[in-house]
Amino acid sequence: MRNKFNLKNMTLLGKYLTDKSINKAEVARKTGIRKSRLSNLSTKEDTNLKAEELYLISKAIDANPTEILEKVYGHLRLNN
């Protein structure tokens, strides 16, 4: 069972990876992205996800990059 406290402290990417039961150590091994970087991307809101990282993560977990992009940034809206 997931700890609700941990979910509250996760970024949208962190929540996505947790919901999909993704092993971050495996993602790090496959992508070359350090585990500490993946941890920061999963827990620190001020950490910016690079397009290259998003693409590599999507390949490592066999997901469509657009799906991750929508989950992580789908809340953004244009100014009127």
Side-chain angles (χ1 to χ4, degrees):
M1 178 183 251
R2 281 185 230 132
N3 183 331
K4 290 182 182 182
F5 177 76
N6 287 340
L7 286 177
K8 288 181 181 179
N9 293 322
M10 286 188 177
T11 63
L12 292 173
L13 177 63
K15 289 176 185 176
Y16 175 84
L17 295 175
T18 298
D19 288 345
K20 297 284 186 180
S21 300
I22 301 300
N23 181 320
K24 290 183 203 133
E26 183 73 8
V27 171
R29 185 187 65 73
K30 287 181 177 181
T31 63
I33 301 169
R34 290 185 296 204
K35 287 189 271 186
S36 61
R37 174 72 177 154
L38 286 171
S39 179
N40 286 343
L41 288 168
S42 297
T43 60
K44 296 184 179 181
E45 290 291 340
D46 62 345
T47 304
N48 292 317
L49 175 63
K50 297 177 185 176
E52 295 90 353
E53 293 168 327
L54 181 135
Y55 185 76
L56 289 171
I57 291 167
S58 70
K59 297 293 272 184
I61 66 173
D62 197 29
N64 185 325
T66 305
E67 176 188 350
I68 299 173
L69 191 63
E70 184 65 33
K71 290 287 184 180
V72 175
Y73 296 113
H75 65 282
L76 298 177
R77 300 290 177 249
L78 293 173
N79 293 329
N80 291 329

